[in-house]
Amino acid sequence: MAHYEEVNVHGYDEFCRAVSERKGKDIFAYFSGDKDEKGKSWCPDCVKAEPVVRGVLSHLPEGSVFIYCQVGERAYWKDPNNDFKKTLKLTGVPTLLRYGTPQKLVEEECFKADLVKMMFTED
Amino acid sequence: MAAFCRGRHRWKKINCLHIFSRKLTGKYDYDMLVIGGGSGGLACSKEAQLGQKVAVLDYVEPSAKTKWGLGGTCVNVGCIPKKLMHQAALLGTAVKDAQKYGWQIPGTITHDATMAEAVQNHVKSLNWGHRVQLQDRKVKYMNLKGSLVDEHTVRGLNKAGKETILTAKNIVIATGGRPKYPTNIPGAVEHGITSDDIFWLKKSPGKVALECAGFLTGIGLDTTVMVRSIALRGFDQQMAGLVTDYMEAYGTRFAWKSVPNRVDKLPSGALQVTWTNTQTGGEHKDTFDCVLWAVRAPETKALGLDKLGIQLNKETGKIIVGADESASVPNIYAFGDIGEGRPELTPTAIKAGKLLARRLAGQSAELMNYDNVPTTVFTPLEYSCVGLSEEEAEKRHGKDRIEVYHAFYKPLEFTVAERDASQCYIKQVVCERGGNGKILGLHFTGPNAGEVAQGFAMSFCGATYSHLVQTVGIHPTCAEEVVKVHITKRSGLDATVTGC
């Protein structure tokens, strides 16, 4: 059994609910463009980064939470006023962040397993 | 290694030595090991990564009250938080001015803890940014306190006291400085704080050196600065006087020519400071909520430098270095605030670090040029300078051989705001009287002094007074007054600029 909790959410409201239900926990969130019925995302970088991130999940701290969040369709994401951009200040997908801290990896940074591992293992 | 060679392989000794003298991981763990992850150390280690194996050790010995992340003084407890808090104070003044410009501001304006949290969040994002960059450039970062064992060996201690031994072809010391508590003054350590702590306090302190005092006054706190002899030692003293005059006019108090004797904590929790005015001999006391010591010292104590015979300047305690940043022991280099005679500035540390890395990698022979480095003091009235002070120019060239052009000007923005501009001033020190003299020093007090002076710093690669005068000003700005200066001190004429 994994030493962390994985949560799958879709959209901003679900994301916020998942976070508020886990106050006080170390939350890591991975934001990706929506996947189609075949499980492929419209965002090519997200497709490339996901296996890299998943390959390092074993290094997550004990008791932490990993939220996999699909942000929406491409058109929703392109709107500069969408909630993720406006409130969470995301600038691109994929984004991997440690909630409540300035630690984040954006786009190509998510392709680098050593950077992802660094975020999971360092204070 | 030597034992391995002797015992196991009966090769001729020559072959062994050839293998060991091969570069990279042949003999040492690293090609370059940097002690200190501040402005200088990070720039140096990031630059050196092309084909080189580089490591950087950074460790913050907590001051009595605070500890922070990667990035050194500038990022955590220096330039960055300082400038943000300076900006906070300027905005407070701007809001007051706004009413004169027609803005309806309801009620009284107060200041709260939002600033501290916002600044700390930005600093933390910079700590993270540096971590990512180091990782990306394959620089090995270790959170260890480094000290020298010999000219190729460093001992690193983690916070639990566990030891790691590392070897390197070249060792670079970039540990900078830390505030110094005056341990001879009773109560100073227990009851006082330093600039290390001021940027991380959650609650506002009560009363505090010039930039801290400036922004503290700007956010509404009653602040006093105690000065032993002069303010801004080493800077042009006429300009230093204008800076402190402005601060006094805007509410910062100064206790001149005074030395503190003791700090006592009263039952109320307030701090009572007793001091002597060295001019009158009189003793004074007053109570404050907070006492801040604003003196710095180089961070060399725990480095083990004496063991290797690395020479330090007896007065300052800094490491004596050559023009190529080399210390008195081969393979050891030091630069940044820790280097004797070097400016205590981030941009010079960064540049020197990069050039050092390139030289050590054999990519270039370029040395750092420390002449004509521009600086800005971010006091409420900002002061920028490049080149020589008037005193230094007189000393080097003789009063008769220099011409000083100057002007008192009034920023246009101050007019409607009804703000006093008596200390807004420009001074150019020019060599060789007559129109073609080379500019030796430029001094400017006024809003955005740093932005104004940056461009003029370029002119110090040989510009003369006539170059400056040929430059057309941008109107209406404060910066244009620099190119319009034409009254000399020698003439004795009124140097106040009248409106256009």
Side-chain angles (χ1 to χ4, degrees):
Chain A
M1 189 155 108
H3 56 277
Y4 60 89
E5 183 199 357
E6 177 159 348
V7 186
N8 282 292
V9 298
H10 191 189
Y12 185 74
D13 293 334
E14 267 185 43
F15 174 75
C16 292
R17 210 169 322 140
V19 167
S20 64
E21 285 166 1
R22 289 164 180 81
K23 276 195 170 47
K25 294 216 164 190
D26 198 359
I27 300 174
F28 296 85
Y30 179 76
F31 299 91
S32 165
D34 277 13
K35 288 175 161 170
D36 62 19
E37 335 69 63
K38 295 199 202 72
K40 189 158 175 224
S41 172
W42 55 259
C43 156
D45 284 351
C46 302
V47 173
K48 190 168 170 189
E50 189 172 331
V52 175
V53 173
R54 289 207 171 275
V56 194
L57 287 182
S58 54
H59 290 275
L60 279 169
E62 182 76 37
S64 61
V65 178
F66 178 73
I67 301 181
Y68 181 89
C69 177
Q70 293 185 70
V71 299
E73 295 298 335
R74 187 196 291 265
Y76 167 81
W77 181 252
K78 289 296 180 203
D79 172 16
N81 289 321
N82 75 53
D83 281 306
F84 289 102
K85 289 185 177 172
K86 254 181 51 191
T87 320
L88 268 182
K89 308 277 190 276
L90 295 194
T91 52
V93 277
T95 291
L96 175 68
L97 57 79
R98 193 172 195 164
Y99 193 78
T101 78
Q103 290 182 25
K104 85 171 150 182
L105 296 171
V106 182
E107 293 161 354
E108 317 82 57
E109 291 175 338
C110 298
F111 301 163
K112 299 175 184 164
D114 55 347
L115 289 183
V116 178
K117 187 173 165 198
M118 185 175 83
M119 182 192 281
F120 291 167
T121 55
E122 287 194 17
D123 276 325
Chain B
M1 282 282 181
F4 174 81
C5 177
R6 252 197 311 248
R8 301 269 298 279
H9 294 265
R10 299 306 286 153
W11 297 353
K12 290 161 219 124
K13 205 146 189 229
I14 307 249
N15 281 351
C16 247
L17 286 172
H18 281 178
I19 289 169
F20 289 161
S21 67
R22 228 179 279 146
K23 232 167 67 117
L24 298 174
T25 48
K27 185 173 180 187
Y28 303 111
D29 298 326
Y30 297 97
D31 295 298
M32 183 170 82
L33 192 141
V34 181
I35 307 179
S39 304
L42 291 178
C44 186
S45 52
K46 287 180 201 172
E47 187 73 10
Q49 27 80 52
L50 301 154
Q52 300 257 302
K53 208 162 175 230
V54 180
V56 64
L57 305 187
D58 188 61
Y59 188 85
V60 180
E61 190 80 69
S63 67
K65 293 107 189 165
T66 348
K67 175 176 159 55
W68 50 88
L70 182 63
T73 296
C74 175
V75 163
N76 294 288
V77 287
C79 328
I80 302 295
K82 179 262 310 271
K83 186 88 191 288
L84 290 172
M85 296 200 177
H86 171 65
Q87 176 65 0
L90 289 179
L91 288 171
T93 313
V95 171
K96 294 196 195 90
D97 288 352
Q99 302 184 64
K100 301 249 169 62
Y101 277 89
W103 289 100
Q104 307 307 310
I105 317 274
T108 31
I109 325 261
T110 52
H111 187 265
D112 67 20
T114 311
M115 172 188 77
E117 197 185 321
V119 169
Q120 286 161 36
N121 281 339
H122 179 66
V123 168
K124 287 181 182 152
S125 73
L126 295 178
N127 298 143
W128 173 250
H130 279 304
R131 275 304 281 115
V132 172
Q133 278 177 39
L134 286 183
Q135 185 75 18
D136 225 19
R137 298 188 197 203
K138 311 269 182 282
V139 174
K140 176 89 182 150
Y141 159 66
M142 290 174 267
N143 185 215
L144 300 174
K145 191 167 153 134
S147 62
L148 299 177
V149 177
D150 65 40
E151 50 269 30
H152 291 290
T153 315
V154 168
R155 182 210 292 131
L157 282 177
N158 73 5
K159 60 176 183 256
K162 177 162 166 271
E163 188 183 276
T164 310
I165 300 289
L166 304 153
T167 59
K169 181 160 157 241
N170 290 303
I171 298 173
V172 178
I173 302 170
T175 48
R178 288 295 288 270
K180 183 171 76 171
Y181 278 91
T183 45
N184 57 317
I185 297 174
V189 177
E190 309 91 281
H191 305 309
I193 63 167
T194 67
S195 57
D196 279 358
D197 313 294
I198 189 91
F199 299 114
W200 295 82
L201 286 181
K202 292 190 162 48
K203 206 168 80 92
S204 292
K207 298 183 185 188
V208 181
L210 300 188
E211 284 175 339
C212 284
F215 68 68
L216 291 171
T217 306
I219 60 175
L221 302 168
D222 185 353
T223 310
T224 304
V225 180
M226 188 168 300
V227 186
R228 178 192 306 269
S229 56
I230 58 171
L232 298 177
R233 181 180 296 280
F235 285 86
D236 185 293
Q237 284 300 293
Q238 178 196 14
M239 305 307 292
L242 293 171
V243 165
T244 52
D245 284 347
Y246 183 95
M247 289 174 70
E248 276 184 296
Y250 275 78
T252 304
R253 298 184 225 241
F254 281 82
W256 293 105
K257 299 272 194 276
S258 299
V259 285
N261 300 126
R262 55 182 305 115
V263 180
D264 296 299
K265 195 160 190 159
L266 301 176
S268 61
L271 301 173
Q272 182 177 81
V273 180
T274 313
W275 71 89
T276 306
N277 180 316
T278 57
Q279 254 179 343
T280 64
E283 211 185 62
H284 303 266
K285 47 167 76 109
D286 201 348
T287 46
F288 303 89
D289 295 317
C290 179
V291 175
L292 185 150
W293 305 103
V295 181
R296 293 184 76 78
E299 188 74 340
T300 52
K301 276 190 318 292
L303 285 173
L305 301 178
D306 45 321
K307 222 188 321 158
L308 270 73
I310 291 181
Q311 283 169 24
L312 304 178
N313 176 296
K314 283 189 187 56
E315 227 185 276
T316 63
K318 295 189 180 187
I319 301 178
I320 296 176
V321 289
D324 61 345
E325 332 299 352
S326 56
S328 52
V329 171
N331 305 110
I332 302 198
Y333 299 82
F335 75 99
D337 286 9
I338 202 86
E340 174 55 35
R342 302 302 190 210
E344 291 183 359
L345 298 170
T346 284
T348 49
I350 290 176
K351 195 138 195 269
K354 287 187 177 166
L355 292 175
L356 175 64
R358 288 184 210 153
R359 291 196 301 272
L360 292 182
Q363 284 168 14
S364 126
E366 193 187 338
L367 297 176
M368 175 68 188
N369 180 357
Y370 287 98
D371 288 333
N372 295 325
V373 170
T375 330
T376 301
V377 185
F378 291 100
T379 33
L381 182 72
E382 296 177 11
Y383 162 44
S384 272
C385 57
V386 198
L388 305 178
S389 63
E390 193 177 337
E391 300 92 303
E392 188 61 34
E394 273 180 21
K395 207 165 99 181
R396 292 195 198 182
H397 301 270
K399 197 168 179 163
D400 286 336
R401 298 216 24 236
I402 59 168
E403 195 75 87
V404 180
Y405 295 88
H406 67 155
F408 283 95
Y409 70 97
K410 185 163 191 169
L412 179 61
E413 294 82 350
F414 280 32
T415 53
V416 170
E418 292 174 344
R419 283 187 41 200
D420 179 16
S422 341
Q423 292 91 18
C424 293
Y425 179 74
I426 298 163
K427 179 163 75 170
Q428 283 161 37
V429 183
V430 175
C431 172
E432 287 141 47
R433 299 157 59 174
N436 222 27
K438 193 164 132 203
I439 305 174
L440 300 172
L442 173 64
H443 302 265
F444 176 95
T445 45
N448 306 303
E451 307 294 353
V452 169
Q454 178 69 89
F456 288 110
M458 192 166 81
S459 67
F460 276 70
C461 310
T464 62
Y465 177 67
S466 61
H467 284 128
L468 205 61
V469 159
Q470 282 168 52
T471 311
V472 180
I474 300 172
H475 187 72
T477 62
C478 297
E480 66 172 310
E481 301 301 337
V482 176
V483 304
K484 285 159 64 185
V485 157
H486 60 283
I487 304 278
T488 64
K489 270 197 180 182
R490 185 169 272 117
S491 70
L493 296 170
D494 179 10
T496 312
V497 171
T498 47
C500 74

